[in-house]
């Protein structure tokens, strides 16, 4: 019996557009252990976001299945929190109330005063003290994404699904938010860590954050390889990137990505 928190088995997803059907994901299989941080990388259009949408319960696959704790997934659920690429905050709510609303959806037994208290705690954790009364339009992009992360973490779900959450952020804030996420996730302790599935196109981001990386092929998306990240935690970006091992591992991932693309367009093998 599998000990994985999430089990993806022979997943196939098809789309129909203008009466034409095309295959977005084909026979995708891999597992995500409890408390594990798994990144999914691949070329644009390989089905990374589609995979996450299936895990959210928004798409019904044409074949295969997803299991959470051994039970087949059907629809959305309060055990899953989501952070989207774009900030997805309600513009008519203050930052504090946005976070409190997320808590209400996942934890209906908690009273309003307690929800607001928890919201304030997570505003502090993501460095937004003093911004709880601001509306999303009054926040920078980086601050809005901090609020979205705070909302997802405050919901205290068992699983966190993240769809390129930092891709719309400038380079400086992207680094800050990566480090923030890592600190918050590692700070929960081994037994309390969220199970994370993180979609990204950034190889360095995937290496820094992940326990393992799932490399998808170009269209249709299939699992090319599942790679364990060999670096111990806790990780310090500035130390990690200076090592020969980091360069070698990064080149391995680049080769997996680019050689797959080269094969599909009839090119030569990429040697890095």
């Amino acid at each position: 019996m599998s000990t994985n928190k999430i089990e993806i088995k022979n997943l196939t997803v098809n789309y129909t557009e203008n009466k034409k059907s095309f295959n977005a994901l084909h026979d995708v299989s891999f597992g995500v252990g409890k408390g594990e941080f798994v990144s999914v990388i691949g070329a644009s259009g390989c089905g990374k976001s589609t995979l996450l949408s299936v895990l959210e319960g928004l798409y019904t696959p044409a074949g295969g299945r997803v299991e959470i704790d051994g039970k087949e997934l059907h629809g959305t659920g309060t055990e899953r929190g989501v952070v989207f690429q774009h900030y997805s905050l309600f513009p008519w709510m203050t930052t504090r109330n946005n976070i409190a609303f997320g808590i209400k959806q996942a934890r209906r037994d908690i009273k309003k005063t307690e929800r607001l208290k928890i919201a304030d705690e997570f505003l502090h954790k993501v460095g937004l003290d003093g911004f709880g009364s601001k509306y999303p339009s009054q926040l920078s992009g980086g601050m809005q994404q901090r609020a979205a992360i705070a909302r997802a973490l405050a919901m205290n779900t068992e699983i966190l699904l993240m769809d390129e959450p930092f891709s719309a952020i400038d380079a400086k804030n992207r680094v800050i938010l990566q480090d923030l996420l890592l600190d918050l996730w590692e700070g929960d302790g081994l037994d309390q860590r969220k199970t994370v599935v993180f979609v990204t196109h950034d190889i360095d981001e995937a290496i820094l954050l992940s326990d393992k990386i799932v490399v998808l092929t170009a269209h249709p998306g299939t699992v090319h390889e599942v790679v364990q990240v060999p670096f111990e935690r806790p990780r310090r970006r500035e130390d990690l990137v200076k090592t020969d091992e980091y360069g070698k591992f990064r080149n391995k991932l680049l080769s997996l990505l680019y050689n797959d693309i080269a094969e599909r367009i009839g090119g030569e093998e990429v040697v890095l």
Side-chain angles (χ1 to χ4, degrees):
M1 182 177 178
S2 173
T3 58
N4 286 324
K5 182 73 176 177
I6 303 171
E7 197 72 55
I8 299 166
K9 299 180 176 180
N10 308 111
L11 190 69
T12 295
V13 178
N14 297 325
Y15 282 115
T16 300
E17 189 173 303
N18 297 326
K19 297 183 179 180
K20 292 183 179 181
S21 180
F22 68 94
N23 189 203
L25 294 170
H26 180 71
D27 199 27
V28 171
S29 297
F30 65 92
V32 183
K34 184 179 184 301
E36 192 171 35
F37 199 121
V38 175
S39 286
V40 181
I41 66 173
S44 296
C46 72
K48 301 186 297 294
S49 293
T50 298
L51 173 62
L52 214 66
S53 293
V54 173
L55 295 178
E56 292 168 34
L58 301 178
Y59 290 162
T60 300
R65 56 195 278 153
V66 174
E67 295 178 357
I68 295 178
D69 292 327
K71 297 180 180 179
E72 187 169 5
L73 175 65
H74 294 287
T76 58
T78 57
E79 80 284 1
R80 283 160 281 157
V82 185
V83 180
F84 299 98
Q85 180 175 347
H86 298 288
Y87 319 122
S88 67
L89 300 174
F90 297 118
W92 61 88
M93 288 186 184
T94 64
T95 306
R96 188 185 192 212
N97 286 337
N98 261 286
I99 297 170
F101 179 82
I103 299 168
K104 181 180 179 181
Q105 302 312 300
R107 305 160 68 184
R108 294 187 177 274
D109 57 319
I110 298 179
K111 295 181 179 179
K112 182 178 180 180
T113 53
E114 182 65 16
R115 292 198 299 268
L116 292 172
K117 181 181 177 183
I118 295 170
D120 286 338
E121 290 173 359
F122 278 87
L123 282 169
H124 173 71
K125 287 184 177 182
V126 299
L128 289 179
D129 287 310
F131 291 91
S133 62
K134 301 292 185 182
Y135 289 89
S137 62
Q138 297 173 299
L139 304 178
S140 69
M143 293 168 75
Q144 289 186 57
Q145 199 63 313
R146 284 173 183 258
I149 292 169
R151 181 175 61 186
L153 293 174
M155 291 169 66
N156 198 30
T157 57
E158 299 170 18
I159 295 169
L160 192 57
L161 306 173
M162 308 187 77
D163 189 3
E164 299 195 49
F166 309 140
S167 64
I169 306 296
D170 64 85
K172 180 181 177 181
N173 278 305
R174 186 183 185 110
V175 168
I176 292 170
L177 288 172
Q178 288 167 353
D179 290 341
L180 172 66
L181 175 61
L182 199 57
D183 287 344
L184 291 172
W185 180 77
E186 290 183 337
D188 283 338
L190 284 172
D191 294 335
Q192 300 299 320
R193 285 177 182 169
K194 304 286 185 283
T195 302
V196 182
V197 181
F198 187 98
V199 165
T200 182
H201 59 265
D202 187 321
I203 286 178
D204 295 296
E205 182 173 75
I207 296 171
L208 177 70
L209 298 174
S210 310
D211 293 308
K212 70 185 180 189
I213 299 171
V214 179
V215 183
L216 294 184
T217 65
H219 175 76
T222 60
V223 175
H224 188 28
E225 192 168 332
V226 178
V227 186
Q228 292 292 141
V229 178
F231 308 114
E232 294 183 356
R233 298 186 186 274
R235 296 174 188 157
R236 287 172 53 85
R237 179 197 313 270
E238 55 269 35
D239 296 332
L240 192 61
V241 298
K242 294 176 183 176
T243 64
D244 291 339
E245 291 78 8
Y246 182 88
K248 291 176 182 177
F249 185 69
R250 188 178 190 277
N251 284 343
K252 175 181 179 179
L253 291 173
L254 284 169
S255 294
L256 287 172
L257 282 172
Y258 291 125
N259 284 334
D260 170 67
I261 296 171
E263 287 172 8
R264 288 167 182 266
I265 63 176
E268 295 181 359
E269 182 180 356
V270 177
V271 179
L272 297 170

